Amino acid sequence: MSSPSTAMAGDSPDRAQPSASAIGRVTNLLRRVPYAGRWCFAVAFLNVLIWTFVIPPFQVPDEISHFGYVQYLAEEGRPPPQGPIGQYSPQEQNTLDALSFVVVSGHGEQRGIMNSVEQQGLREELASSGSPVGEGGSSSATDQPPLYYALEAVPYLLSPSREILARLELMRALSALMAALTVLCIYMFLRELMPGTPWAWTVGALLVAFQPMFCFIGAGVQGDNLLFLASAATFLGLARAFRRGLSTKRAALIGLATVAGVLAKLTFIALLPGIALALALLAWRAWPSGKGQALRSLAVASAIVVIPALAYGILNTSVWHRGGVTAGGVAGATTSTNAPGQIINFRETLDYIWQLYLPRLPFMYREFSYYPLITTWLDGTVGQFGWLDYTFPRWVYTVAHWLFAGLGVLALVTVVRMRSAIRPWLGMLVCFAVMTVGLLAAIGDAGIHYRASTNDVFEQARYLFPLLAFYGLFMVLAARGVGRRWAPALGAALVVLAMAHGLFAETLTISRYYG
Amino acid sequence: MRVRVVLGVTCALVVGALILDMSGSAPRIADTDHLNPVGFFSSMLGGQELCQPQMLLPNDAQRVQVLIGTYGFPVPALAVRFVDSAGRVLSSGRIAAGSPQGKVTVPIAYPHGATANGSLCIRAGGRRKLVIAGDIVTPGPAADDVQGAIEGGRMAVVYLRPGKESWWQLLPTLSRRMGFGKALFFGTWTLPVAALLLLGLWIAVGRLLLRELT
């Protein structure tokens, strides 16, 4: 890392670009992305696109619900009303039946369409399938804001074919694009943090681009994809502002990334305290060089977030009648799902959240019969695919444990070595820590209430993927742990390992669904 | 130089691991009847025949596998036959008594022609009751019948392909299957094109790493 005030030569951030058209501006913006960054973006897009070919329709977790939301929004022009009515359109329901969706999802030994006779049956079903207009009943996605779904409605409506599976594939391609943009943001994020180490930007971005669980989710119609992108863009925006100062333009970009996250998935709300702290800190730092500028930047960022969020809340209650300001999206993840008569107190929630990530302390009530740090987060990141119905052989996870432990030690060595270079970044790191703790706490809070109401496990590794930028950072810090001479070589080895991880995840997926 | 060597060695290791992985032989699935064995809902006594209508016999099925419970006793002799709507036997097979309860695999005559619709019938020897795992269905034309009496369940059946195959041997089948159950524009090209794109991706990343890391 370099000092926040150190900008790269020839990298002045706010150069005026002489272009009137939007296309020209986008082209100019792309030109400002380094060559390797553009390649990382292209590689990530193509890689996730390949995943969309491999994964059968609706086999990405909750894809049925997310598709249902998009279809309702595209057909009716508003988000689903929710309630105890039909979740999916007759067209989607018939397609799911024809694909034996209920039988295949969650059952690793089952297969979908395996021969031409069944394929013919599917084709006939699709040709005569019912209406694409459903009732918009409550599903696992309907209490979320509509931004991701509105974006996905574009390929849905632009699809040259009205066939549901063709539309699904085009929508998946847009998700792949979001995944690629996430990778690009992470590349740029690492560039801000380590401007003097260009190889690290490429290595960190590629390690994310080939992370198989990220690719698996990225290949589906899944609202998390915009959440990941918005989170990565927010971290990038904040890192830029901490390094270069809070200009109005940078504040606007932070605001845009933040509001995209808030309107993508309500989980993003957990990051808001950290973002607010960061903006306050940035404004305080900018104060001596111009109060007006600092206040203007703060106001711009706040307005960009607050106005659309308020508009969403008002529309929810007064126009769309979706059962509350957040359409039940926040309450749904907290107390309202408790079993009747069950009260979860603050102490219990804290115990749960702590043990979700850290070893239990002696005075704590035992919340888990397993160790979530390993089972949920680490093993889940290595690979729990489909509707959590197939995994790698056990030995792969054992090797991964040792590998991550080794990388952790190396990353720690780097942090200790670079402690003086890190010191100027402490303010930013504190803000990132607050954002991280906010997310971890929100997952834990939702988890304990979900468990109380369903007796089932809530947490999945992908819930941590809004922090993917730190995954990339962790990896390059680990690579630097072996010293300056060997760091690029270890970085290259890690990238090949990640690509192999992705490759074998794909062969595993092919054997699961087609073998 | 270091990066070049590391890339060369790690890529060679990955290729070796892929070849090894793809070369593993095992019985492969031809198809299932798209039912999960959630409970034992089909039962019959020794000497009886249970027939399950609305079944598909895949052209590449050489074994029929079902999950059988015998209350701890050895599985009796089983005879399996697949009959079409005209009552013609398209394929049949049997196993002798003595298998332990659990997943029981019965080989059937192979090849037996193109994929066909019909009924799968299982006749048990001996006298004891046995149960077969599957799911509940509404008694009717889709339900199992035992000696003509309609039951409330359907067996979960897995069809297996002949012998053991490596993934290399299965590649043409995988290519065909990857075109099924998707948008119309997918086809047998999906797997080879995906593989080629992935190869191109690996080459591009290799070049990028050499450019950026050396």
Side-chain angles (χ1 to χ4, degrees), chain A residues 496-497 500 503-504, chain B residues 6-20 202:
Chain A
V496 175
L497 192 60
L503 173 68
F504 286 107
Chain B
V6 164
L7 278 179
V9 171
T10 48
C11 285
L13 284 174
V14 172
V15 171
L18 183 66
I19 290 170
L20 204 65
W202 274 68

Side-chain angles (χ1 to χ4, degrees), chain A residues 17-40:
Chain A
Q17 298 294 331
S19 171
S21 71
I23 295 173
R25 252 179 295 177
V26 170
T27 312
N28 282 338
L29 200 67
L30 284 177
R31 277 200 197 118
R32 286 166 62 182
V33 175
Y35 171 88
R38 294 197 295 262
W39 268 101
C40 287

Side-chain angles (χ1 to χ4, degrees), chain B residues 81-96:
Chain B
R81 62 195 181 102
F82 196 95
V83 292
D84 67 10
S85 54
R88 282 176 305 190
V89 176
L90 300 181
S91 185
S92 62
R94 59 179 59 245
I95 55 163

